[in-house]
Amino acid sequence: MPLLHPFPDALPRTDAFTRVVLATLEPMLDGGRWPLRRSLGEPVDVVAGFVTDGHDRLRAELVADHPDGTQTVLPMPLRYNDEYVAAFVPAELGIHTFRVRAWIDTLGTWAEQFRRRLDGGETDALLEAEMTDLAQTLRRWAKPAPKRAAAPLVAYADRLDAGDRDAAFEPELAALADRFDPRTGLIVSDPQPVEVDPRLATFAAWYEFFPRSAADPGPDGRPQPGTLDDAARRLARVRELGFDIVYLPPISPIGVQYRKGKDGALVAEADEPGSPWAIGGFLNDGAKGGHTDVADELGGLPAFERFVAEADRLGLKVALDIAFQASPDHPWVDEHPDWFRHRPDGTIRYAENPPKKYQDVYPFDFESNDWPALWTALKGVFEAWIARGVRVFRVDNPHTKPFAFWAWCLAELKREHPDLIFLAEAFSRPRIMEALAKIGFSNSYTYFTWRLSKQDLTEYATELWHGDKAEFFRPNFWPNTPDIFHQTLADGGRPLHIARFVLAATLSPVYGIYGPPYEHPEQTRKHATKEEYADNEKFEIRTWNWRDPSSLQPLMRRVNEVRRAEAALQQGRNLRFLDIANDNVIAYVKQDGASRVLVVVNLNPFGDAGGMLHFDPASVGLDAYAPFVAHDTLSGETYRWQGTEHVVHLTPGRPAHLFVLRQG
Amino acid sequence: MPLLHPFPDALPRTDAFTRVVLATLEPMLDGGRWPLRRSLGEPVDVVAGFVTDGHDRLRAELVADHPDGTQTVLPMPLRYNDEYVAAFVPAELGIHTFRVRAWIDTLGTWAEQFRRRLDGGETDALLEAEMTDLAQTLRRWAKPAPKRAAAPLVAYADRLDAGDRDAAFEPELAALADRFDPRTGLIVSDPQPVEVDPRLATFAAWYEFFPRSAADPGPDGRPQPGTLDDAARRLARVRELGFDIVYLPPISPIGVQYRKGKDGALVAEADEPGSPWAIGGFLNDGAKGGHTDVADELGGLPAFERFVAEADRLGLKVALDIAFQASPDHPWVDEHPDWFRHRPDGTIRYAENPPKKYQDVYPFDFESNDWPALWTALKGVFEAWIARGVRVFRVDNPHTKPFAFWAWCLAELKREHPDLIFLAEAFSRPRIMEALAKIGFSNSYTYFTWRLSKQDLTEYATELWHGDKAEFFRPNFWPNTPDIFHQTLADGGRPLHIARFVLAATLSPVYGIYGPPYEHPEQTRKHATKEEYADNEKFEIRTWNWRDPSSLQPLMRRVNEVRRAEAALQQGRNLRFLDIANDNVIAYVKQDGASRVLVVVNLNPFGDAGGMLHFDPASVGLDAYAPFVAHDTLSGETYRWQGTEHVVHLTPGRPAHLFVLRQG
């Protein structure tokens, strides 16, 4: 902020030294070094603390510069405590900036004091002297302007000199002052950037599945390898369930050398498909394919293009998984050996976290002597998929690549394509995840999966949506992923799957599931030793029942319907936890205008739980003394409630209420 | 903070792009634009959040640059959550700056991974390859250095190449790495300034009195005009009562034109002394005197010099009141009419806040065309008093002069005299008071006088000492001033005078009183309509009983003794409020090592109050299960307490406990 320099070593050099001080400015991220994040239509509420010496009045303005070169200038009225406020609503994607500015309100100060002199019964002589004083000021303002333009100002000066007291208070004079006051001592803040993303960055439901598991089973009931065409046939159902973004693990050719077998076995059988994250393998024509190729067994690039077309037709966005690492068969291993790190004997270093070794994965050497070419090639990977219609990317382990790379790469890509969305898959320490969010990732995976108790969930959600973090960190809540299947969720079966789904989808406006196994809690097992699924699709092809009324599919469809219908569920900062005296039951309310949603979830999958819920209807704008209706969108039941104490009771068979509230 | 640029428009230009990110830095004020405030010996605890990609270890350092040109470099060990910590204790007055820096710990990362390879039972071939790798790194480090200097490093490379595994873990190699590692990717924070003031800026008791009221009464008992020599005779007593700073209202000649009479009457009688804040009047030789002169009726400059000498002898600091305004008789009115604002008829504008007029006061026009000369002259006022031995200034209404003036003036003065202390008398809005503190004022008057209830006191003290404000805003608590005598204090008489004195002196390490009337609650009256004293010394000469055992003098002496003896009372941030279920009783504890002070005050001057105090002795390091002693330094009584619940009872006759605690 352009506050006064702390250690001036000479008299201020301009004639007009600064009389106005910018004391505070919100919102702001690290002094303006990182952009605040908004999505289209989300307002930027700006509060600037300006002060000056003495009793002078200030005028303040908010100036917003938009990506298309247009500018919005808004007056900032004084609220209280020296705070001047205004808000603008970005209507365009990309980087907007705003500044605040203030100056001494010469006319307003004069008019206020003159009014008090009049009210105080001041002598005519003194009043006339003051009017002469103002007239002189107006003539000084008029001087540098073209005569014709300044004529109305001079006319006011003449009227004041002629003793016309009303002249000073006419709105036209205030308008002229707006134009002609030279704004001596104007102070302007540094520009504060605001990155405006598509709506899907702040409100979206993600659905992940493996395209190779999308085929129908064979006649023997065993899984058949699926292609992207099989996957495309599943999209209508994904849309029907109410999801917005369909996310595919990597679809590039998979390496053969050191290919992993079932359950991550170090040696794969000949017919095993390998892990999609081992990027770079052979194509049907014997050539090697890398990050921008599509595996032939998935149908190749043409099948992918058909997949995107079908998604477009349904209004679904396709999210691709970008994993910046290479299998030993990746074409760049031969073409650009410099892009990898080597041991003294000249062999390429595979990934390791001693004593663990990952011989199937070569990390890139971001500090290689040839790094500008490597970085440009990696950016090119995104560009290739963008050219094929992809706008959403899930980035694998971004925290093992330099922050400087991402800051550069994401900014470059967004400059051309401000509609891109990047989800950072960094299950790392808080400051690392925050740094990634600041440098450009639109969404972040979170610790939600491990926040199980009422207290942990409450504290974590409060940190995410009620702290400074909400200005840049946008959580994407996932109850499961191919890598993460929590013991508690496995043990908690269907009741806890329902509870955690409702939590993810209503606590966070952006959430996702690794769909097929989540839909069928009864058909999934946890790995014996790892916190992930057994028979893991990372290493083998599975088959799923894509239409199963006894699965969680109906629940998912219902919850996503309510999310779309209720504006209250489309944001995070309106979350407010409610008191209910039971450690196993969590309750919260969200409101946006007439949209009011109250959620109650039983965190104990093994027993009933209930209690007295304290909820004041007046806190969401309902009549405090009249009955109101709580419609449970999950069960279809409707309750008539009144007052602030309400009995709730949940069972393993019905672990959650998703109430929509309205005046009864 | 030098975080990565948000919108890079090209590949980073250096070969060594930044891999380390500075995520957080504390303490910091407005991004380093304003100095943090400390006093001599007060530590600066620095916490830097550094992160990097991947699994590499970091090294971090704190670099402090001192005013004398010396530098302290301290290692910052990792604490937790990516926070690296270190502290330095400034031992010199003036502006220190500190920076934090971090880089990839190449050797440490290697050694950690090598240890894990060893522990994991890695093959000899791979271990040897890693050792060769490190040896190559060491030889690369050695290359640019003089051969002889680098010889030990090369010797380690030879040992590693020869297969000596222990070599990698020797502390001498770590020390060599410290010297030779080129610290690729080093990141350094912006410098953060810390202004170090004398101890009296953070721990002091101020005593204000009017020198002209310091004479003994005449034979008829009526006040006699006192001089600075009379005032000097009172200093020994002020010191005896335990005060550190004696503060005098302005001592310059007082104007005659528009001189105010008793109770601020617009016309003074011929023999009335006028208000000392009407700066600038006639000297005995008929000349006019201004801001740097001493009124003849106070004994002139020689008497002031004797006063300062006596204060010096007693170890008291003299604080002068600097009021930047002029009476119509001020010499600058004739010499520099340009320094004042004028009406169109050429007359000088007096001060006003319409409809109120202050014809006895001309404000300076800080925006005058001749402002550089005015600003320099005003700075000269301080310089003249500094040359006469004054180091402490109480500045009258600084918020009615431009912030830019103060930022420049105070910085200039402190550059030459870093031992100066400035108290801002701005009873204004919060952000204005904060701005003055940021731009250089060492202490600030506060709202303490109007914070009367337990809740208000608790909230206000918490805001002052437990928020960000504590980094720059240093409160000076005054229960009364010549301008402020709160109705509640007037009504509450002696009991409330005791209570408010104990609160001011124990809540705040810096406090002050307008002494004579405070010592004699029974002899003072509140003005009928204004929130100030009747028979106000601002406008008339009074006489006081300077040695009165029945006054509050013994209490003041006792409290100041305890403040000096107990380190716990010499700081603010250690304040912790305690639970006691009585809205009229406030209780808090402060600890510094073995110094533990517990204060309980009855805020109701009209009745008894008590209750069960919840205080856990373990919270201040006393044995939770053994008895401890609470010695009331005010009554001399000693209690033996045990456990966490303690009965306290206070009466109007004994409105406060000032307990010193020790193990029983």
Side-chain angles (χ1 to χ4, degrees):
Chain A
M1 281 183 290
L3 302 178
L4 295 168
H5 191 282
F7 314 116
D9 54 1
L11 286 172
R13 281 193 197 89
T14 55
D15 284 344
F17 58 87
T18 302
R19 277 189 57 200
V20 187
V21 170
L22 174 60
T24 60
L25 179 56
E26 291 190 331
M28 179 162 54
L29 188 51
D30 289 354
R33 277 176 186 77
W34 300 110
L36 306 155
R37 300 201 168 280
R38 292 291 186 278
S39 68
L40 278 181
E42 246 191 313
V44 183
D45 290 297
V46 180
V47 182
F50 286 111
V51 291
T52 189
D53 55 285
H55 303 288
D56 285 352
R57 292 167 61 121
L58 297 181
R59 292 279 305 276
E61 282 178 349
L62 171 67
V63 183
D65 287 291
H66 309 300
D68 64 0
T70 60
Q71 191 178 74
T72 307
V73 179
L74 297 168
M76 299 186 83
L78 175 61
R79 188 170 60 178
Y80 50 68
N81 196 19
D82 295 307
E83 290 176 357
Y84 297 77
V85 297
F88 70 100
V89 181
E92 192 190 346
L93 296 174
I95 305 282
H96 302 239
T97 59
F98 71 85
R99 289 162 292 154
V100 295
R101 59 190 182 201
W103 63 96
I104 305 283
D105 180 5
T106 305
L107 176 65
T109 304
W110 185 95
E112 182 190 33
Q113 299 205 349
F114 193 72
R115 170 65 64 202
R116 286 158 64 186
R117 290 181 208 275
L118 287 172
D119 295 347
E122 192 47 79
T123 64
D124 285 352
L126 190 139
L127 291 172
E128 263 167 44
E130 293 298 333
M131 287 163 69
T132 308
D133 203 43
L134 178 61
Q136 286 178 358
T137 299
L138 299 185
R139 289 187 210 282
R140 202 169 60 244
W141 291 355
K143 214 166 183 182
K147 227 178 180 137
R148 184 197 294 257
L153 201 61
V154 174
Y156 269 100
D158 293 343
R159 285 176 59 191
L160 289 165
D161 280 337
D164 179 352
R165 291 178 187 178
D166 297 333
F169 299 102
E170 289 179 6
E172 198 198 329
L173 179 57
L176 287 167
D178 256 8
R179 275 179 61 201
F180 289 97
D181 181 344
R183 300 188 178 182
T184 316
L186 178 80
I187 191 170
V188 187
S189 77
D190 289 339
Q192 305 296 320
V194 183
E195 184 157 44
V196 176
D197 291 321
R199 187 89 206 291
L200 285 180
T202 57
F203 175 60
W206 291 51
Y207 188 93
E208 174 179 7
F209 74 98
F210 284 77
R212 68 189 182 188
S213 294
D216 291 321
D220 56 357
R222 298 181 52 165
Q224 299 292 314
T227 66
L228 284 160
D229 287 311
D230 294 309
R233 286 190 292 117
R234 306 303 180 190
L235 290 179
R237 192 199 64 113
V238 172
R239 174 87 282 191
E240 207 179 288
L241 296 186
F243 291 94
D244 306 293
I245 294 173
V246 57
Y247 148 42
L248 306 181
I251 56 174
S252 300
I254 296 171
V256 176
Q257 280 188 69
Y258 291 102
R259 173 175 286 192
K260 293 230 164 115
K262 190 170 156 53
D263 194 25
L266 288 182
V267 181
E269 302 295 321
D271 60 344
E272 288 195 288
S275 159
W277 285 272
I279 311 281
F282 290 90
L283 298 168
N284 280 347
D285 62 6
K288 286 180 172 182
H291 279 82
T292 57
D293 292 291
V294 178
D296 285 312
E297 65 266 27
L298 292 177
L301 187 54
F304 179 72
E305 283 168 352
R306 291 188 293 271
F307 181 85
V308 172
E310 173 67 359
D312 279 350
R313 192 184 68 81
L314 293 164
L316 277 170
K317 295 278 176 200
V318 175
L320 273 200
D321 189 325
I322 301 297
F324 279 151
Q325 57 197 23
S327 85
D329 298 318
H330 195 290
W332 289 349
V333 174
D334 303 326
E335 293 165 18
H336 298 284
D338 283 359
W339 292 356
F340 302 90
R341 294 187 63 210
H342 296 76
R343 296 187 188 277
D345 66 0
T347 57
I348 293 184
R349 280 188 179 272
Y350 47 79
E352 52 182 340
N353 187 14
K356 288 189 200 162
K357 301 175 188 179
Y358 307 94
Q359 281 102 333
D360 58 332
V361 174
Y362 291 169
F364 294 114
D365 181 6
F366 283 81
E367 296 176 285
S368 129
N369 287 332
D370 194 29
W371 65 266
L374 169 65
W375 290 28
T376 304
L378 294 176
K379 177 162 75 73
V381 170
F382 286 107
E383 286 163 341
W385 293 112
I386 291 167
R388 294 163 185 165
V390 179
R391 287 294 178 275
V392 186
F393 296 96
R394 178 267 198 194
V395 178
D396 193 72
N397 281 321
H399 58 299
T400 58
K401 289 89 189 170
F403 296 99
F405 167 73
W406 293 118
W408 166 78
C409 180
L410 300 188
E412 284 285 291
L413 294 171
K414 287 185 191 174
R415 194 193 318 278
E416 287 296 306
H417 308 281
D419 58 338
L420 298 179
I421 292 177
F422 297 91
L423 164 62
E425 188 252 3
F427 289 102
S428 181
R429 304 190 299 279
R431 291 197 203 285
I432 289 178
M433 295 167 68
E434 289 164 17
L436 290 167
K438 284 183 184 177
I439 65 178
F441 282 92
S442 333
N443 279 189
S444 304
Y445 282 86
T446 69
Y447 307 145
F448 170 69
T449 323
W450 301 276
R451 296 295 178 268
L452 303 163
S453 71
K454 178 178 179 172
Q455 182 178 341
D456 281 359
L457 282 165
T458 306
E459 285 176 6
Y460 191 51
T462 301
E463 174 195 323
L464 291 176
W465 286 294
H466 294 310
D468 296 342
K469 219 163 166 164
E471 287 296 346
F472 64 95
F473 189 89
R474 287 195 295 225
N476 193 329
F477 271 16
W478 288 70
N480 73 328
T481 77
D483 290 320
I484 307 170
F485 186 40
H486 197 278
Q487 182 73 52
T488 310
L489 187 58
D491 294 344
R494 187 183 180 96
L496 200 61
H497 275 69
I498 296 173
R500 300 287 300 176
F501 183 84
V502 171
L503 287 171
T506 61
L507 281 171
S508 180
V510 184
Y511 83 102
I513 51 162
Y514 165 34
Y518 206 90
E519 295 167 15
H520 306 285
E522 291 82 359
Q523 296 167 35
T524 52
R525 288 183 305 124
K526 189 180 153 291
H527 191 281
T529 55
K530 299 185 205 159
E531 191 181 78
E532 62 177 43
Y533 285 97
D535 312 317
N536 203 305
E537 287 190 275
K538 289 191 288 185
F539 306 110
E540 62 188 280
I541 295 173
R542 298 281 305 270
T543 184
W544 302 102
N545 186 349
W546 299 89
R547 295 218 176 254
D548 178 1
S550 74
S551 75
L552 296 191
Q553 290 159 10
L555 171 84
M556 293 176 180
R557 181 165 46 230
R558 191 78 196 99
V559 171
N560 282 333
E561 267 172 22
V562 177
R563 280 170 47 96
R564 277 169 199 258
E566 296 297 329
L569 292 177
Q570 297 170 16
Q571 52 185 289
R573 292 182 217 206
N574 60 346
L575 175 66
R576 196 160 52 77
F577 287 98
L578 300 175
D579 278 343
I580 178 166
N582 184 328
D583 279 350
N584 283 329
V585 181
I586 191 165
Y588 44 92
V589 68
K590 289 179 150 191
Q591 185 204 356
D592 180 353
S595 170
R596 305 173 180 95
V597 175
L598 192 160
V599 184
V600 190
V601 177
N602 177 8
L603 302 174
N604 174 15
F606 306 113
D608 291 16
M612 192 65 84
L613 171 72
H614 178 84
F615 166 67
D616 180 358
S619 69
V620 294
L622 293 169
D623 189 329
Y625 304 103
F628 62 97
V629 170
H631 173 68
D632 186 348
T633 57
L634 302 184
S635 70
E637 288 173 342
T638 292
Y639 302 80
R640 272 179 81 82
W641 280 352
Q642 186 160 9
T644 60
E645 310 302 318
H646 318 282
V647 175
V648 295
H649 185 78
L650 295 163
T651 63
R654 184 187 294 179
H657 289 304
L658 175 52
F659 290 120
V660 170
L661 308 179
R662 61 165 203 276
Q663 199 67 62
Chain B
M1 282 185 289
L3 304 178
L4 295 168
H5 192 281
F7 314 118
D9 55 2
L11 286 171
R13 283 195 195 86
T14 54
D15 285 344
F17 59 86
T18 302
R19 277 190 58 200
V20 186
V21 170
L22 175 59
T24 61
L25 179 55
E26 290 189 331
M28 179 163 55
L29 188 52
D30 289 353
R33 278 176 185 75
W34 300 109
L36 305 157
R37 301 201 167 280
R38 293 289 185 279
S39 68
L40 277 181
E42 245 191 314
V44 182
D45 290 298
V46 180
V47 181
F50 285 112
V51 292
T52 189
D53 54 285
H55 303 288
D56 286 351
R57 292 168 60 121
L58 297 181
R59 291 280 304 277
E61 283 178 349
L62 171 66
V63 183
D65 287 289
H66 309 300
D68 64 0
T70 60
Q71 190 177 74
T72 306
V73 179
L74 297 168
M76 300 187 83
L78 174 62
R79 187 169 62 176
Y80 49 70
N81 197 19
D82 294 307
E83 290 177 356
Y84 296 77
V85 296
F88 70 101
V89 181
E92 193 190 346
L93 296 174
I95 305 280
H96 302 240
T97 59
F98 71 85
R99 289 164 292 155
V100 295
R101 61 190 181 202
W103 62 96
I104 306 282
D105 180 5
T106 305
L107 176 64
T109 303
W110 185 95
E112 182 190 32
Q113 299 205 347
F114 193 73
R115 170 64 66 200
R116 286 158 63 186
R117 290 181 208 275
L118 286 172
D119 295 347
E122 193 46 79
T123 63
D124 284 353
L126 190 141
L127 292 172
E128 264 169 43
E130 293 299 332
M131 288 165 68
T132 307
D133 203 43
L134 178 61
Q136 286 177 359
T137 300
L138 300 186
R139 289 186 209 283
R140 202 169 60 244
W141 291 355
K143 215 165 181 180
K147 224 175 182 146
R148 184 197 295 254
L153 201 62
V154 175
Y156 269 101
D158 293 343
R159 284 175 61 192
L160 289 165
D161 280 338
D164 180 352
R165 292 177 186 177
D166 297 334
F169 300 102
E170 288 180 7
E172 198 198 329
L173 178 57
L176 287 167
D178 257 8
R179 275 179 61 200
F180 289 97
D181 181 344
R183 301 187 177 182
T184 315
L186 177 81
I187 192 170
V188 187
S189 76
D190 289 339
Q192 304 296 320
V194 181
E195 183 158 46
V196 176
D197 291 321
R199 187 88 206 293
L200 284 181
T202 57
F203 176 59
W206 292 52
Y207 188 93
E208 175 180 8
F209 74 98
F210 284 76
R212 68 190 184 189
S213 295
D216 292 322
D220 56 356
R222 298 181 53 163
Q224 300 291 315
T227 66
L228 283 161
D229 287 311
D230 294 308
R233 287 190 292 115
R234 306 302 180 191
L235 290 179
R237 192 199 64 111
V238 172
R239 172 89 280 191
E240 208 178 291
L241 295 185
F243 291 94
D244 305 294
I245 294 173
V246 57
Y247 148 43
L248 306 181
I251 55 175
S252 299
I254 296 171
V256 176
Q257 282 188 69
Y258 291 101
R259 174 176 284 193
K260 294 231 163 112
K262 192 170 156 50
D263 194 23
L266 286 182
V267 180
E269 303 294 323
D271 60 344
E272 288 196 288
S275 159
W277 285 272
I279 311 284
F282 290 88
L283 297 168
N284 279 348
D285 62 7
K288 286 181 171 182
H291 279 82
T292 57
D293 292 291
V294 177
D296 285 312
E297 65 266 27
L298 291 177
L301 188 54
F304 179 71
E305 283 167 352
R306 290 188 293 272
F307 180 86
V308 172
E310 173 66 359
D312 279 351
R313 191 184 69 79
L314 293 164
L316 277 171
K317 295 278 174 200
V318 174
L320 274 200
D321 190 326
I322 301 298
F324 280 151
Q325 56 196 23
S327 85
D329 297 317
H330 196 289
W332 289 349
V333 173
D334 302 326
E335 294 167 17
H336 299 284
D338 284 358
W339 292 357
F340 301 89
R341 295 187 64 210
H342 296 75
R343 296 186 188 278
D345 66 359
T347 57
I348 293 183
R349 280 188 178 271
Y350 47 79
E352 52 181 340
N353 188 16
K356 287 189 202 163
K357 301 175 187 182
Y358 309 94
Q359 282 102 333
D360 58 331
V361 174
Y362 291 169
F364 294 115
D365 181 7
F366 283 80
E367 296 176 286
S368 127
N369 288 331
D370 194 30
W371 65 265
L374 168 66
W375 289 28
T376 305
L378 294 176
K379 178 162 74 77
V381 170
F382 286 107
E383 286 164 341
W385 292 111
I386 291 167
R388 293 161 186 168
V390 179
R391 287 293 178 275
V392 187
F393 296 96
R394 179 265 199 196
V395 177
D396 192 73
N397 282 322
H399 58 301
T400 58
K401 290 89 189 171
F403 296 99
F405 166 73
W406 294 118
W408 166 78
C409 179
L410 301 188
E412 285 285 291
L413 294 170
K414 287 185 191 175
R415 195 193 317 279
E416 288 297 306
H417 308 281
D419 58 338
L420 297 179
I421 293 176
F422 297 90
L423 165 61
E425 189 253 358
F427 288 103
S428 181
R429 303 190 300 279
R431 291 195 203 285
I432 290 178
M433 294 167 69
E434 289 165 17
L436 291 167
K438 285 184 184 176
I439 65 178
F441 282 92
S442 333
N443 279 188
S444 304
Y445 282 86
T446 69
Y447 306 144
F448 170 69
T449 323
W450 301 276
R451 295 295 176 269
L452 303 163
S453 72
K454 177 178 179 172
Q455 183 178 341
D456 281 359
L457 282 164
T458 306
E459 284 176 7
Y460 191 52
T462 301
E463 175 195 325
L464 291 175
W465 285 294
H466 295 309
D468 297 342
K469 219 163 166 165
E471 287 297 345
F472 64 96
F473 189 88
R474 286 194 296 223
N476 193 331
F477 270 17
W478 288 70
N480 73 329
T481 77
D483 289 320
I484 307 170
F485 186 39
H486 196 278
Q487 183 72 52
T488 309
L489 187 58
D491 294 344
R494 187 182 181 96
L496 199 61
H497 275 70
I498 295 174
R500 298 287 301 176
F501 183 84
V502 171
L503 287 171
T506 62
L507 281 171
S508 180
V510 183
Y511 83 103
I513 52 162
Y514 164 35
Y518 206 90
E519 294 165 15
H520 306 285
E522 291 84 359
Q523 296 168 33
T524 53
R525 288 184 305 124
K526 190 181 153 290
H527 191 282
T529 56
K530 299 186 204 159
E531 192 181 78
E532 61 177 43
Y533 286 96
D535 312 317
N536 203 307
E537 287 190 275
K538 290 190 289 185
F539 306 109
E540 63 188 281
I541 294 173
R542 299 280 304 269
T543 184
W544 301 101
N545 185 349
W546 299 89
R547 294 217 175 257
D548 178 1
S550 75
S551 75
L552 296 191
Q553 291 159 10
L555 170 85
M556 294 176 179
R557 181 165 49 231
R558 191 77 195 100
V559 171
N560 282 333
E561 267 172 23
V562 177
R563 279 172 48 96
R564 277 168 198 261
E566 297 297 330
L569 293 177
Q570 297 170 16
Q571 52 186 289
R573 292 182 217 207
N574 59 346
L575 174 66
R576 196 161 53 79
F577 288 98
L578 301 175
D579 279 342
I580 180 165
N582 185 326
D583 278 350
N584 283 328
V585 182
I586 191 166
Y588 44 91
V589 67
K590 289 179 150 190
Q591 184 203 358
D592 181 354
S595 171
R596 305 173 181 94
V597 175
L598 192 160
V599 184
V600 189
V601 177
N602 178 6
L603 302 173
N604 174 15
F606 307 113
D608 292 14
M612 191 64 83
L613 171 73
H614 179 82
F615 167 66
D616 180 359
S619 69
V620 294
L622 294 170
D623 189 328
Y625 303 104
F628 63 96
V629 169
H631 173 69
D632 187 348
T633 58
L634 302 184
S635 70
E637 288 172 343
T638 291
Y639 301 82
R640 271 179 81 81
W641 281 352
Q642 186 161 8
T644 60
E645 309 303 318
H646 317 282
V647 175
V648 295
H649 187 78
L650 294 162
T651 63
R654 184 187 296 179
H657 288 305
L658 176 51
F659 290 120
V660 171
L661 308 179
R662 59 168 205 276
Q663 200 65 62

